[in-house]
Amino acid sequence: MSDAPEPARELQFPLYVKAPLILLGLSLAVFTIHIASEIIFPLFFAAIFAIMLHPVEQWLLRHRVPKLLAITLTVVLGVTALLGLLYFIYLEASQLSSQMPLFKKKFAQTTAEVHQWLQSRFGVSDEKLRGYLSELGNRASALLGGTLSAVSGLLVVATLIPVYIFLLFLYQRRLVDFLTQVFSSRRQDTRVNEVLHESKATIQSYMVGLLIEASIVATLNTTGLLIIGVPYALLLGVLGALLNFIPYIGGLIAIALPMLMAFVTKPGYGHAIAVLGVYMVIQFIDNHYLIPRIVASKIKVNALVAIVGVLVGNAIGGIAGMFLALPVIAILKIVFDRIPSLKPWGMLLGDEETPRGRRINPPSKAAAAAEKVLPSVG
């Protein structure tokens, strides 16, 4: 007789027990992230930027730069690049502010023309028109105020991100060892390394794809505005590409700004309509060619999960949550694909086609016995 211990059996719960536990766990996770979003989201952003800057840090270390100096130079380089972009936008926007008197004059003239047209065509009284304009102004102010408050909140939180990036670089070996020891077994050691390596590669390729896509969109925007003859084409083109990072609202603002500039600085409505047409063509190219081939191909997440994830991210953390939704879902898919019991969830998140009849997990003994007894159907 062998004295070897029998392998431990996994506990199998019925579906009516497992499903509520999964829903409860998801609810607690979403609630926790929502409550602690001001702490968790900066860490997520710092982790993404640290992964992007990791090749720079490794290059410095390979050239015998001391570790602390290499980390410091890497963080300074990343912050300098971001501040350079913000400084360019500030310089262009300061020149744009000189056009404010022209904006006000054109807006007053347009309001008077619309007023006269509504009165002559539909008999709208002054009181009703003032009510409509007041309601429209309140909604626009609320939308703009919400967007500005979200952006200002991100800027305040952004001051913590360089510190987090520095500390993540400093303690990266300790964090990897921690994750490895938490999942301590020979099998899981390799799984942890695979998950970390693949997550890092996925986020790097995704962020590089986003930057390439934004550069192409900025070039197309600027070229189109220069051909139409809209002033401040470079500023508006770059802002339009950056606003595309914000789903839904960003795209609308990206189109509205150059249309407003064309309407104010050019006679008639032809230039504003031309801007709308050019931007619609650019959006079509971006949505059907650039994003699927440059961005979406880096993250194997299907469209349904991506849309739902972005909406959930917006509900949890606003603009920051929308931006972080896809990278987080991609990492979850990588983790699910490495754990046999969670592979069906990885299949649900992914966009790879599963051949018909292929099993995600091997059948249990009970299922195999049932298949032998029951006649096949179809």
Side-chain angles (χ1 to χ4, degrees):
M1 294 179 64
S2 174
D3 295 333
E6 294 184 2
R9 296 181 180 178
E10 292 186 4
L11 294 176
Q12 297 291 335
F13 293 103
L15 181 61
Y16 61 84
V17 174
K18 189 184 296 184
L21 289 176
I22 292 173
L23 292 176
L24 179 61
L26 289 174
S27 302
L28 288 176
V30 170
F31 180 73
T32 302
I33 294 173
H34 177 68
I35 295 297
S37 60
E38 294 183 359
I39 300 173
I40 295 175
F41 282 2
L43 283 172
F44 279 172
F45 277 111
I48 290 175
F49 290 129
I51 290 172
M52 288 182 63
L53 295 171
H54 189 255
V56 178
E57 186 233 7
Q58 292 298 304
W59 183 86
L60 292 173
L61 291 176
R62 284 196 300 268
H63 286 75
R64 300 183 182 278
V65 178
K67 183 176 180 180
L68 282 177
L69 181 58
I71 294 173
T72 304
L73 291 175
T74 303
V75 175
V76 169
L77 177 64
V79 172
T80 303
L82 181 60
L83 290 179
L85 177 62
L86 294 177
Y87 185 65
F88 160 76
I89 294 175
Y90 168 75
L91 288 179
E92 293 290 327
S94 62
Q95 296 179 9
L96 182 61
S97 62
S98 62
Q99 300 290 329
M100 286 306 296
L102 182 60
F103 275 110
K104 293 180 180 178
K105 181 180 178 182
K106 186 76 173 184
F107 182 74
Q109 178 184 352
T110 304
T111 303
E113 292 176 357
V114 171
H115 184 192
Q116 290 178 358
W117 182 78
L118 289 174
Q119 267 192 333
S120 60
R121 194 68 180 268
F122 301 103
V124 178
S125 63
D126 292 346
E127 185 178 351
K128 285 185 177 180
L129 181 61
R130 282 195 294 269
Y132 294 150
L133 291 176
S134 176
E135 183 179 356
L136 181 62
N138 291 335
R139 291 186 178 181
S141 299
L143 178 61
L144 182 61
T147 304
L148 290 177
S149 63
V151 172
S152 62
L154 288 177
L155 292 177
V156 171
V157 172
T159 57
L160 293 173
I161 292 179
V163 179
Y164 287 152
I165 295 174
F166 182 89
L167 295 176
L168 287 173
F169 276 133
L170 186 62
Y171 298 119
Q172 59 180 314
R173 185 68 260 171
R174 183 171 300 185
L175 293 172
V176 172
D177 292 340
F178 164 76
L179 292 175
T180 304
Q181 291 181 21
V182 167
F183 304 97
S184 56
S185 73
R186 291 180 181 177
R187 274 187 184 176
Q188 290 174 344
D189 286 348
T190 58
R191 286 180 191 168
V192 171
N193 291 329
E194 288 176 1
V195 167
L196 292 176
H197 179 75
E198 192 170 346
S199 299
K200 172 187 166 186
T202 299
I203 291 177
Q204 281 182 344
S205 60
Y206 172 69
M207 295 303 297
V208 170
L210 271 183
L211 293 177
I212 294 173
E213 181 257 348
S215 302
I216 296 174
V217 171
T219 303
L220 293 176
N221 290 345
T222 304
T223 304
L225 294 176
L226 286 174
I227 293 173
I228 297 173
V230 178
Y232 305 101
L234 182 58
L235 171 64
L236 295 173
V238 173
L239 278 179
L242 294 177
L243 287 169
N244 265 342
F245 290 158
I246 305 174
Y248 310 120
I249 299 176
L252 295 176
I253 299 176
I255 296 176
L257 288 178
M259 285 186 64
L260 180 62
M261 177 63 70
F263 177 71
V264 169
T265 58
K266 300 293 180 180
Y269 305 99
H271 290 82
I273 296 174
V275 169
L276 177 61
V278 168
Y279 267 63
M280 293 296 289
V281 172
I282 294 173
Q283 286 291 328
F284 178 83
I285 295 173
D286 185 32
N287 293 330
H288 290 81
Y289 294 97
L290 298 181
I291 290 180
R293 287 169 172 76
I294 299 177
V295 180
S297 61
K298 312 298 182 184
I299 291 185
K300 303 299 182 181
V301 176
N302 66 67
L304 176 62
V305 172
I307 294 173
V308 174
V310 168
L311 293 176
V312 172
N314 179 46
I316 295 174
I319 295 175
M322 297 169 83
F323 181 81
L324 290 171
L326 286 180
V328 170
I329 294 173
I331 294 173
L332 288 176
K333 183 187 182 305
I334 293 170
V335 174
F336 293 163
D337 287 342
R338 295 295 183 276
I339 301 175
S341 61
L342 295 178
K343 279 188 177 180
W345 293 94
M347 180 203 66
L348 179 65
L349 298 180
D351 64 348
E352 306 94 342
E353 291 188 6
T354 304
R356 188 177 179 183
R358 178 184 170 189
R359 292 186 183 273
I360 303 300
N361 288 323
S364 62
K365 292 181 180 179
E371 286 182 353
K372 291 179 180 179
V373 175
L374 296 176
S376 60
V377 180

PDB file of all heavy atoms in Angstrom, residues 321-341:
ATOM      1  N   GLY A 321     -12.003  56.815 -15.437  1.00  0.00           N
ATOM      2  CA  GLY A 321     -12.486  55.440 -15.511  1.00  0.00           C
ATOM      3  C   GLY A 321     -12.703  54.975 -16.934  1.00  0.00           C
ATOM      4  O   GLY A 321     -12.426  53.812 -17.266  1.00  0.00           O
ATOM      5  N   MET A 322     -13.188  55.862 -17.803  1.00  0.00           N
ATOM      6  CA  MET A 322     -13.380  55.503 -19.204  1.00  0.00           C
ATOM      7  C   MET A 322     -12.045  55.195 -19.876  1.00  0.00           C
ATOM      8  O   MET A 322     -11.937  54.259 -20.684  1.00  0.00           O
ATOM      9  CB  MET A 322     -14.103  56.642 -19.930  1.00  0.00           C
ATOM     10  CG  MET A 322     -15.502  56.913 -19.410  1.00  0.00           C
ATOM     11  SD  MET A 322     -16.204  58.452 -20.054  1.00  0.00           S
ATOM     12  CE  MET A 322     -16.834  57.918 -21.614  1.00  0.00           C
ATOM     13  N   PHE A 323     -11.035  55.978 -19.558  1.00  0.00           N
ATOM     14  CA  PHE A 323      -9.719  55.775 -20.173  1.00  0.00           C
ATOM     15  C   PHE A 323      -9.077  54.471 -19.693  1.00  0.00           C
ATOM     16  O   PHE A 323      -8.424  53.765 -20.465  1.00  0.00           O
ATOM     17  CB  PHE A 323      -8.813  56.961 -19.842  1.00  0.00           C
ATOM     18  CG  PHE A 323      -7.435  56.850 -20.445  1.00  0.00           C
ATOM     19  CD1 PHE A 323      -7.225  57.196 -21.766  1.00  0.00           C
ATOM     20  CD2 PHE A 323      -6.367  56.399 -19.698  1.00  0.00           C
ATOM     21  CE1 PHE A 323      -5.956  57.085 -22.331  1.00  0.00           C
ATOM     22  CE2 PHE A 323      -5.105  56.290 -20.243  1.00  0.00           C
ATOM     23  CZ  PHE A 323      -4.902  56.639 -21.575  1.00  0.00           C
ATOM     24  N   LEU A 324      -9.265  54.144 -18.411  1.00  0.00           N
ATOM     25  CA  LEU A 324      -8.617  52.967 -17.837  1.00  0.00           C
ATOM     26  C   LEU A 324      -9.376  51.669 -18.110  1.00  0.00           C
ATOM     27  O   LEU A 324      -8.831  50.585 -17.852  1.00  0.00           O
ATOM     28  CB  LEU A 324      -8.469  53.146 -16.321  1.00  0.00           C
ATOM     29  CG  LEU A 324      -7.471  54.189 -15.842  1.00  0.00           C
ATOM     30  CD1 LEU A 324      -7.598  54.400 -14.340  1.00  0.00           C
ATOM     31  CD2 LEU A 324      -6.053  53.770 -16.198  1.00  0.00           C
ATOM     32  N   ALA A 325     -10.604  51.769 -18.611  1.00  0.00           N
ATOM     33  CA  ALA A 325     -11.441  50.570 -18.730  1.00  0.00           C
ATOM     34  C   ALA A 325     -10.795  49.505 -19.607  1.00  0.00           C
ATOM     35  O   ALA A 325     -10.682  48.335 -19.206  1.00  0.00           O
ATOM     36  CB  ALA A 325     -12.817  50.960 -19.281  1.00  0.00           C
ATOM     37  N   LEU A 326     -10.356  49.878 -20.816  1.00  0.00           N
ATOM     38  CA  LEU A 326      -9.826  48.878 -21.746  1.00  0.00           C
ATOM     39  C   LEU A 326      -8.540  48.221 -21.248  1.00  0.00           C
ATOM     40  O   LEU A 326      -8.414  46.990 -21.319  1.00  0.00           O
ATOM     41  CB  LEU A 326      -9.628  49.506 -23.123  1.00  0.00           C
ATOM     42  CG  LEU A 326     -10.893  49.759 -23.929  1.00  0.00           C
ATOM     43  CD1 LEU A 326     -10.568  50.373 -25.277  1.00  0.00           C
ATOM     44  CD2 LEU A 326     -11.667  48.477 -24.119  1.00  0.00           C
ATOM     45  N   PRO A 327      -7.544  48.981 -20.747  1.00  0.00           N
ATOM     46  CA  PRO A 327      -6.356  48.288 -20.226  1.00  0.00           C
ATOM     47  C   PRO A 327      -6.663  47.338 -19.079  1.00  0.00           C
ATOM     48  O   PRO A 327      -6.094  46.239 -19.013  1.00  0.00           O
ATOM     49  CB  PRO A 327      -5.455  49.446 -19.757  1.00  0.00           C
ATOM     50  CG  PRO A 327      -5.880  50.614 -20.553  1.00  0.00           C
ATOM     51  CD  PRO A 327      -7.343  50.443 -20.770  1.00  0.00           C
ATOM     52  N   VAL A 328      -7.584  47.725 -18.179  1.00  0.00           N
ATOM     53  CA  VAL A 328      -7.922  46.852 -17.048  1.00  0.00           C
ATOM     54  C   VAL A 328      -8.606  45.578 -17.546  1.00  0.00           C
ATOM     55  O   VAL A 328      -8.294  44.462 -17.086  1.00  0.00           O
ATOM     56  CB  VAL A 328      -8.814  47.606 -16.037  1.00  0.00           C
ATOM     57  CG1 VAL A 328      -9.365  46.646 -14.989  1.00  0.00           C
ATOM     58  CG2 VAL A 328      -8.026  48.714 -15.368  1.00  0.00           C
ATOM     59  N   ILE A 329      -9.537  45.710 -18.509  1.00  0.00           N
ATOM     60  CA  ILE A 329     -10.210  44.531 -19.047  1.00  0.00           C
ATOM     61  C   ILE A 329      -9.212  43.617 -19.753  1.00  0.00           C
ATOM     62  O   ILE A 329      -9.281  42.391 -19.646  1.00  0.00           O
ATOM     63  CB  ILE A 329     -11.339  44.955 -20.003  1.00  0.00           C
ATOM     64  CG1 ILE A 329     -12.447  45.680 -19.236  1.00  0.00           C
ATOM     65  CG2 ILE A 329     -11.931  43.746 -20.715  1.00  0.00           C
ATOM     66  CD1 ILE A 329     -13.524  46.269 -20.118  1.00  0.00           C
ATOM     67  N   ALA A 330      -8.255  44.220 -20.473  1.00  0.00           N
ATOM     68  CA  ALA A 330      -7.240  43.404 -21.157  1.00  0.00           C
ATOM     69  C   ALA A 330      -6.402  42.603 -20.166  1.00  0.00           C
ATOM     70  O   ALA A 330      -6.092  41.431 -20.400  1.00  0.00           O
ATOM     71  CB  ALA A 330      -6.349  44.302 -22.007  1.00  0.00           C
ATOM     72  N   ILE A 331      -6.039  43.217 -19.040  1.00  0.00           N
ATOM     73  CA  ILE A 331      -5.261  42.503 -18.019  1.00  0.00           C
ATOM     74  C   ILE A 331      -6.099  41.392 -17.393  1.00  0.00           C
ATOM     75  O   ILE A 331      -5.610  40.282 -17.147  1.00  0.00           O
ATOM     76  CB  ILE A 331      -4.757  43.494 -16.959  1.00  0.00           C
ATOM     77  CG1 ILE A 331      -3.743  44.455 -17.582  1.00  0.00           C
ATOM     78  CG2 ILE A 331      -4.115  42.756 -15.784  1.00  0.00           C
ATOM     79  CD1 ILE A 331      -3.310  45.563 -16.657  1.00  0.00           C
ATOM     80  N   LEU A 332      -7.376  41.679 -17.128  1.00  0.00           N
ATOM     81  CA  LEU A 332      -8.250  40.635 -16.578  1.00  0.00           C
ATOM     82  C   LEU A 332      -8.357  39.447 -17.534  1.00  0.00           C
ATOM     83  O   LEU A 332      -8.344  38.283 -17.103  1.00  0.00           O
ATOM     84  CB  LEU A 332      -9.642  41.216 -16.311  1.00  0.00           C
ATOM     85  CG  LEU A 332      -9.771  42.176 -15.132  1.00  0.00           C
ATOM     86  CD1 LEU A 332     -11.176  42.737 -15.056  1.00  0.00           C
ATOM     87  CD2 LEU A 332      -9.414  41.486 -13.821  1.00  0.00           C
ATOM     88  N   LYS A 333      -8.439  39.729 -18.825  1.00  0.00           N
ATOM     89  CA  LYS A 333      -8.516  38.630 -19.789  1.00  0.00           C
ATOM     90  C   LYS A 333      -7.240  37.789 -19.753  1.00  0.00           C
ATOM     91  O   LYS A 333      -7.298  36.551 -19.835  1.00  0.00           O
ATOM     92  CB  LYS A 333      -8.743  39.178 -21.192  1.00  0.00           C
ATOM     93  CG  LYS A 333      -8.901  38.075 -22.231  1.00  0.00           C
ATOM     94  CD  LYS A 333      -8.954  38.616 -23.628  1.00  0.00           C
ATOM     95  CE  LYS A 333      -9.151  37.472 -24.620  1.00  0.00           C
ATOM     96  NZ  LYS A 333      -8.135  36.411 -24.496  1.00  0.00           N
ATOM     97  N   ILE A 334      -6.094  38.435 -19.648  1.00  0.00           N
ATOM     98  CA  ILE A 334      -4.829  37.691 -19.574  1.00  0.00           C
ATOM     99  C   ILE A 334      -4.816  36.793 -18.341  1.00  0.00           C
ATOM    100  O   ILE A 334      -4.395  35.631 -18.397  1.00  0.00           O
ATOM    101  CB  ILE A 334      -3.649  38.675 -19.560  1.00  0.00           C
ATOM    102  CG1 ILE A 334      -3.557  39.410 -20.903  1.00  0.00           C
ATOM    103  CG2 ILE A 334      -2.335  37.954 -19.268  1.00  0.00           C
ATOM    104  CD1 ILE A 334      -2.573  40.565 -20.905  1.00  0.00           C
ATOM    105  N   VAL A 335      -5.278  37.324 -17.210  1.00  0.00           N
ATOM    106  CA  VAL A 335      -5.318  36.526 -15.979  1.00  0.00           C
ATOM    107  C   VAL A 335      -6.295  35.369 -16.130  1.00  0.00           C
ATOM    108  O   VAL A 335      -5.990  34.218 -15.764  1.00  0.00           O
ATOM    109  CB  VAL A 335      -5.711  37.424 -14.785  1.00  0.00           C
ATOM    110  CG1 VAL A 335      -5.896  36.585 -13.526  1.00  0.00           C
ATOM    111  CG2 VAL A 335      -4.649  38.485 -14.547  1.00  0.00           C
ATOM    112  N   PHE A 336      -7.496  35.637 -16.665  1.00  0.00           N
ATOM    113  CA  PHE A 336      -8.505  34.592 -16.818  1.00  0.00           C
ATOM    114  C   PHE A 336      -8.025  33.471 -17.736  1.00  0.00           C
ATOM    115  O   PHE A 336      -8.325  32.299 -17.503  1.00  0.00           O
ATOM    116  CB  PHE A 336      -9.803  35.180 -17.352  1.00  0.00           C
ATOM    117  CG  PHE A 336     -10.497  36.116 -16.402  1.00  0.00           C
ATOM    118  CD1 PHE A 336     -11.479  36.989 -16.843  1.00  0.00           C
ATOM    119  CD2 PHE A 336     -10.155  36.138 -15.054  1.00  0.00           C
ATOM    120  CE1 PHE A 336     -12.125  37.847 -15.963  1.00  0.00           C
ATOM    121  CE2 PHE A 336     -10.791  36.994 -14.172  1.00  0.00           C
ATOM    122  CZ  PHE A 336     -11.775  37.841 -14.622  1.00  0.00           C
ATOM    123  N   ASP A 337      -7.289  33.833 -18.786  1.00  0.00           N
ATOM    124  CA  ASP A 337      -6.809  32.813 -19.718  1.00  0.00           C
ATOM    125  C   ASP A 337      -5.780  31.878 -19.097  1.00  0.00           C
ATOM    126  O   ASP A 337      -5.548  30.780 -19.614  1.00  0.00           O
ATOM    127  CB  ASP A 337      -6.199  33.481 -20.961  1.00  0.00           C
ATOM    128  CG  ASP A 337      -7.242  34.093 -21.870  1.00  0.00           C
ATOM    129  OD1 ASP A 337      -8.425  33.716 -21.741  1.00  0.00           O
ATOM    130  OD2 ASP A 337      -6.893  34.953 -22.691  1.00  0.00           O
ATOM    131  N   ARG A 338      -5.158  32.292 -17.992  1.00  0.00           N
ATOM    132  CA  ARG A 338      -4.125  31.473 -17.356  1.00  0.00           C
ATOM    133  C   ARG A 338      -4.675  30.576 -16.252  1.00  0.00           C
ATOM    134  O   ARG A 338      -3.968  29.733 -15.739  1.00  0.00           O
ATOM    135  CB  ARG A 338      -3.034  32.376 -16.761  1.00  0.00           C
ATOM    136  CG  ARG A 338      -2.231  33.168 -17.772  1.00  0.00           C
ATOM    137  CD  ARG A 338      -1.416  32.248 -18.670  1.00  0.00           C
ATOM    138  NE  ARG A 338      -0.584  32.989 -19.603  1.00  0.00           N
ATOM    139  CZ  ARG A 338      -1.005  33.462 -20.760  1.00  0.00           C
ATOM    140  NH1 ARG A 338      -2.262  33.289 -21.122  1.00  0.00           N
ATOM    141  NH2 ARG A 338      -0.187  34.102 -21.562  1.00  0.00           N
ATOM    142  N   ILE A 339      -5.935  30.783 -15.864  1.00  0.00           N
ATOM    143  CA  ILE A 339      -6.535  29.997 -14.778  1.00  0.00           C
ATOM    144  C   ILE A 339      -7.629  29.119 -15.380  1.00  0.00           C
ATOM    145  O   ILE A 339      -8.595  29.632 -15.954  1.00  0.00           O
ATOM    146  CB  ILE A 339      -7.117  30.926 -13.695  1.00  0.00           C
ATOM    147  CG1 ILE A 339      -6.011  31.823 -13.119  1.00  0.00           C
ATOM    148  CG2 ILE A 339      -7.761  30.107 -12.575  1.00  0.00           C
ATOM    149  CD1 ILE A 339      -6.501  32.859 -12.141  1.00  0.00           C
ATOM    150  N   PRO A 340      -7.491  27.797 -15.290  1.00  0.00           N
ATOM    151  CA  PRO A 340      -8.454  26.910 -15.968  1.00  0.00           C
ATOM    152  C   PRO A 340      -9.907  27.175 -15.601  1.00  0.00           C
ATOM    153  O   PRO A 340     -10.778  27.183 -16.474  1.00  0.00           O
ATOM    154  CB  PRO A 340      -8.008  25.514 -15.520  1.00  0.00           C
ATOM    155  CG  PRO A 340      -6.554  25.665 -15.204  1.00  0.00           C
ATOM    156  CD  PRO A 340      -6.390  27.044 -14.658  1.00  0.00           C
ATOM    157  N   SER A 341     -10.192  27.411 -14.318  1.00  0.00           N
ATOM    158  CA  SER A 341     -11.582  27.610 -13.918  1.00  0.00           C
ATOM    159  C   SER A 341     -12.161  28.926 -14.408  1.00  0.00           C
ATOM    160  O   SER A 341     -13.381  29.107 -14.423  1.00  0.00           O
ATOM    161  CB  SER A 341     -11.690  27.543 -12.384  1.00  0.00           C
ATOM    162  OG  SER A 341     -10.905  28.557 -11.782  1.00  0.00           O
TER     163      SER A 341
END
